[in-house]
């Protein structure tokens, strides 16, 4: 085995241990890759429980009042700081401990309710959204999910009120997208009472203002010469904690404090280990599932702001004796923003409900939500920017700030390219294993293998023949539902063909992976839109105002999404991949020419 193959085998083994240990549930996204429509995950459209609704409405009203009065996003950007009164106000309203249990002083909200709160902040200020996410969605999340009762009792009460702040520290120079490559070391002391931590972290939001940091470092695996990542609770008052740079000057979300720090022989008590020893990557992935959901909520809020801004300008700015809203090329952009904002909200709500219902394994859906909403928001802001013309370029309007702020979304919490490849590969693993079973049996038949291969073959064949049922209640959505079912079958067929055609090399074929992941993302987005629209029609009918309901944005989204899916799948056989790769290779071989 050459060095590259050995590295590949190691990566596959690591991924298998990390992602696929234990029983595998068939979630919605994994179901799509198998040709199934796992309807009970997505239908009926989730609603916030009546018991929580009142408290949420009250919190949102209070939050809006506070944000409208005390939050000045332009000033936060100019000063590159979120003032203490804003942090205190968010703490007072409960935003900094929204999902923490009430026994620790939190609000005890569901993730769906939390997303509604974050959407409000995302509507106004990206710096403040990222600050809240860094503290609550990821900073204290490991403590909430994996902390022992003693750890929670000790740390949470001050963290959920904002008296103290949290941060999540994974990234290092050599561990960016390749998060498993953490180099920070944690060596146990001889008496086992402490770990000695050494190394550096960079690009950490809230690092300089946090009182508690969830830090990922490598610990020895007992009985072997290997190491594995473990999560630790670290406080900046520990001797050897050195802040290298408190606020790295940056392009957007300038109000957040993004820092670098070093740990030099920092003694961390063993009581500060978060979660099982050596399972830090699993802890990190679980934490990021929550972060990606609130990411979706903040992007939804920002997309709604885009819609407000574009409508206002298109209705008032006149050129050629007409308001801009009269021109079809302007209408096209407005319509797409409306459709995307509708879909982003639906997708966020459905994904958050997976967390609230305690469903197993929604990492594909959270990854899809993150990629989809961040890419759509970038498009939305770019479109509004265009319609504002030259005025967008000047700093008296929020658009240049919004553009700068939104750019991090496609990079942070997993670069979109990495997540796109992840979605395709994790999704294809299920059908891929079935094909492997069939192939191995053909190569080396045995009685035991035959029965497994037969089951796998029946599954694969069944999914190719069957059009999955997409159960909507409204008659007027039946056609869309049938189209979605047909597209899922088409998708499954395309996945099967790609697996049969390319076999193991598909692991490196990111252009193929991208089309498959993009199609899967649009299938998920369409499903969420259809589910939301179905529930809204049903509700309007029940309330006797069906005629008033406007479904233009949802309808447009479905049409455009279906068209995109067909395009992605057609691209699997009709593309310029060879030429793309040859051109890039030629450039890479001649740097500076
Ligand atoms: C403002 C800001 C705040 C942040 N806050 C935090 C925080 O609170 N905590 C924390 O731990 N981290 C944080 N980060 C770090 C962030 O998560 C990383 O920047 C991100 O994971 C990407 O890592 P990297 O910057 O090292 O880029 P790299 O890993 O060098 O990747 C650069 C680019 O290469 C491409 N790429 C990389 N790998 C692949 C691949 N396998 N396939 C295809 N393309 C690929 C992608 O386009 C990617 O954007 C923050 C970063 C910023 C800028």
């Amino acid at each position: 085995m050459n060095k590259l193959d050995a590295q590949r085998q190691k990566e596959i083994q690591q991924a298998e241990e990390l992602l696929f240990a234990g029983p595998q549930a068939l979630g919605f996204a994994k179901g799509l890759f198998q040709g199934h429509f796992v309807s009970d995950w997505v239908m009926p459209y989730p609603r916030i429980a009546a018991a929580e609704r009142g408290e949420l409405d009250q919190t949102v009203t209070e939050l809006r009042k506070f944000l409208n009065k005390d939050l000045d996003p332009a000033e936060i950007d100019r000063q590159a700081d979120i003032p203490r009164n804003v942090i205190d106000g968010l703490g007072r309203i409960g935003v900094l401990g929204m999902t923490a249990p009430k026994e620790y002083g939190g609000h005890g909200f569901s993730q769906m309710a939390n997303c509604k709160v974050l959407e409000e902040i995302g509507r106004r200020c990206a710096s403040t959204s990222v600050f809240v996410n860094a503290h609550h969605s990821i900073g204290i999340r490991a403590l909430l999910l994996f902390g022992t009762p003693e750890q929670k009792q000790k740390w949470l009460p001050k963290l959920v009120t904002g008296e103290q702040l949290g941060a999540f520290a994974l990234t290092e120079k050599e561990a960016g997208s390749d998060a498993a490559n953490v180099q920070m070391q944690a060596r146990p002391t001889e008496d086992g009472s402490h770990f000695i931590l050494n190394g550096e972290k960079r690009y950490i939001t809230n690092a300089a203002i946090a009182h508690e940091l969830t830090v990922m470092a490598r610990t020895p695996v007992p009985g072997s010469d290997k190491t594995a990542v473990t999560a630790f609770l670290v406080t900046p008052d520990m001797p050897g904690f050195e802040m290298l740079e408190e606020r790295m000057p940056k392009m957007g979300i300038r109000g957040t404090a993004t820092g670098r720090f070093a740990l030099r022989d920092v003694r961390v008590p063993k009581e500060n280990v978060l979660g099982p020893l050596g399972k830090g990557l699993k802890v990190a992935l679980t934490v990021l599932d929550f972060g990606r959901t609130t990411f979706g909520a903040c992007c939804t809020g920002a997309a709604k702001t885009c819609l407000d801004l574009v409508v206002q300008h298109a209705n008032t700015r006149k050129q050629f004796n007409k308001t801009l809203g009269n021109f079809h090329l302007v209408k096209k952009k407005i319509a797409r923003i409306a459709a995307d904002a509708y879909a982003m909200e639906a997708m966020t709500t459905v994904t958050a409900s997976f967390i609230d219902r305690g469903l197993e394994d929604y990492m594909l859906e959270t990854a899809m939500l993150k990629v989809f909403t961040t890419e759509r928001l970038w498009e939305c802001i770019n479109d509004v920017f265009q319609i504002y013309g030259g005025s967008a370029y000047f700093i008296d309007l929020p658009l240049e700030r919004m553009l700068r702020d939104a750019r991090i979304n496609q990079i942070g919490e997993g670069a979109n390219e990495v997540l796109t490849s992840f979605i395709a590969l994790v999704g294809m693993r299920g059908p891929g294993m079935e094909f492997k079973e069939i192939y191995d049996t053909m190569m080396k038949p045995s009685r035991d293998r035959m029965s497994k291969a037969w089951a796998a073959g029946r599954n694969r064949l069944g999914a190719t023949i069957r059009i999955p049922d997409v159960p909507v209640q409204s008659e007027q959505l039946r056609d869309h539902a049938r189209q979605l079912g047909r597209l899922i079958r088409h998708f499954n067929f395309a996945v099967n063909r790609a697996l049969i055609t390319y076999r193991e090399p598909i692991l490196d074929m990111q252009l193929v992976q991208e089309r498959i992941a993009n199609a899967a993302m649009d299938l998920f987005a369409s499903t969420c839109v259809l589910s939301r629209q179905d529930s809204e029609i049903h509700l309007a009918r029940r309330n006797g105002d069906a005629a008033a309901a406007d479904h233009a944005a949802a309808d447009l989204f479905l049409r455009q999404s279906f068209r995109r899916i067909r395009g992605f799948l057609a691209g699997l056989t009709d593309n310029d991949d060879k030429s793309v790769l040859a051109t890039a290779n030629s450039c890479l071989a001649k740097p500076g020419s």
Side-chain angles (χ1 to χ4, degrees), residues 10 47 74 80 83 119 132 157 164 175 183 185 211 217 249 252 289 314 375 388 397 413 428 435-436 490 520 560:
K10 197 176 143 203
R47 300 252 154 235
E119 188 187 307
V132 174
Q164 293 195 340
Q183 298 297 309
Q185 299 297 320
H211 305 81
D289 273 340
E375 293 293 341
Y388 269 73
L397 288 181
E413 289 195 23
M428 286 192 290
F435 280 125
K436 186 169 181 311
H490 187 173
Q560 294 193 330

Side-chain angles (χ1 to χ4, degrees), residues 168 170-171 176-177 203-205 253 408 411 413 415 417-418 510:
F168 175 79
L170 172 62
T171 304
S177 299
Y203 305 165
I204 307 303
T205 309
I253 54 165
I408 182 58
I411 298 169
E413 289 195 23
E417 290 80 0
V418 178
Q510 290 193 330

Side-chain angles (χ1 to χ4, degrees), residues 324-474:
L324 295 182
N326 278 291
F327 297 104
H328 287 193
L329 289 178
V330 173
K331 284 187 202 290
K332 177 182 160 190
K333 290 184 170 59
I334 297 173
R336 207 176 62 182
I337 295 169
D340 285 347
Y342 185 95
M344 285 156 82
E345 184 174 357
M347 222 172 159
T348 303
T349 305
V350 170
T351 310
S353 80
F354 299 160
I355 292 179
D356 293 335
R357 287 162 66 191
L359 297 176
E360 267 177 62
D361 190 4
Y362 32 71
M363 62 184 169
L364 273 188
E365 290 83 354
T366 57
M368 287 180 176
L369 175 69
K370 194 271 175 177
V371 176
F372 189 86
T373 54
T374 56
E375 293 293 341
R376 302 322 300 170
L377 178 62
W378 181 247
E379 292 290 322
C380 290
I381 296 179
N382 195 38
D383 281 352
V384 188
F385 202 97
Q386 186 69 16
I387 293 174
Y388 269 73
S391 65
Y393 222 73
F394 296 91
I395 64 171
D396 55 329
L397 288 181
L399 286 162
E400 61 82 32
R401 171 169 47 81
M402 288 174 69
L403 197 76
R404 284 189 283 111
D405 284 349
R407 193 58 190 85
I408 182 58
N409 295 339
Q410 289 141 300
I411 298 169
E413 289 195 23
N416 285 2
E417 290 80 0
V418 178
L419 291 178
T420 298
S421 173
F422 170 85
I423 291 162
L425 292 180
V426 173
M428 286 192 290
R429 181 181 176 273
M433 296 297 273
E434 290 188 335
F435 280 125
K436 186 169 181 311
E437 197 69 60
I438 299 166
Y439 178 80
D440 288 351
T441 309
M442 276 160 47
M443 292 292 121
K444 261 192 184 172
S446 77
R447 184 181 288 269
D448 178 43
R449 270 200 167 140
M450 284 300 264
S451 66
K452 283 192 195 159
W454 172 249
R458 210 180 39 200
N459 260 350
R460 288 297 82 230
L461 189 68
T464 313
I465 296 167
R466 198 181 43 235
I467 296 180
D469 182 37
V470 177
V472 287
Q473 300 182 62
S474 325

Side-chain angles (χ1 to χ4, degrees), residues 203-367:
Y203 305 165
I204 307 303
T205 309
N206 291 357
I209 55 174
H211 305 81
E212 174 269 319
L213 298 95
T214 302
V215 173
M216 300 292 164
R218 299 201 87 83
T219 47
V221 175
S224 85
D225 56 356
K226 292 187 181 150
T227 55
V229 178
T230 297
F232 291 90
L233 275 164
V234 171
T235 57
D237 58 358
M238 289 174 170
F241 185 106
E242 190 185 336
M243 207 61 225
L244 300 173
E245 199 171 352
E246 293 194 359
R247 287 174 183 270
M248 303 168 77
K250 58 188 188 292
M251 160 181 160
I253 54 165
R254 284 164 43 79
T256 58
T258 316
R260 292 192 301 125
F261 65 89
L263 301 184
R264 311 218 193 274
D265 289 331
V266 172
R267 283 171 69 86
V268 179
K270 71 175 189 330
E271 290 74 26
N272 286 22
V273 170
L274 263 178
L277 208 61
K279 297 289 177 201
L281 283 180
K282 184 82 190 159
V283 170
L285 280 183
T286 312
V287 163
L288 289 172
D289 273 340
F290 284 75
R292 289 174 188 153
T293 319
T294 44
F295 229 103
C298 295
C299 288
T300 302
K304 288 185 178 181
T305 298
C306 287
L307 188 58
D308 292 345
L309 288 170
V310 80
V311 167
Q312 201 230 339
H313 192 67
N315 273 334
T316 49
R317 168 77 175 156
K318 276 190 174 170
Q319 287 291 277
F320 306 99
N321 263 335
K322 289 179 188 170
T323 52
L324 295 182
N326 278 291
F327 297 104
H328 287 193
L329 289 178
V330 173
K331 284 187 202 290
K332 177 182 160 190
K333 290 184 170 59
I334 297 173
R336 207 176 62 182
I337 295 169
D340 285 347
Y342 185 95
M344 285 156 82
E345 184 174 357
M347 222 172 159
T348 303
T349 305
V350 170
T351 310
S353 80
F354 299 160
I355 292 179
D356 293 335
R357 287 162 66 191
L359 297 176
E360 267 177 62
D361 190 4
Y362 32 71
M363 62 184 169
L364 273 188
E365 290 83 354
T366 57

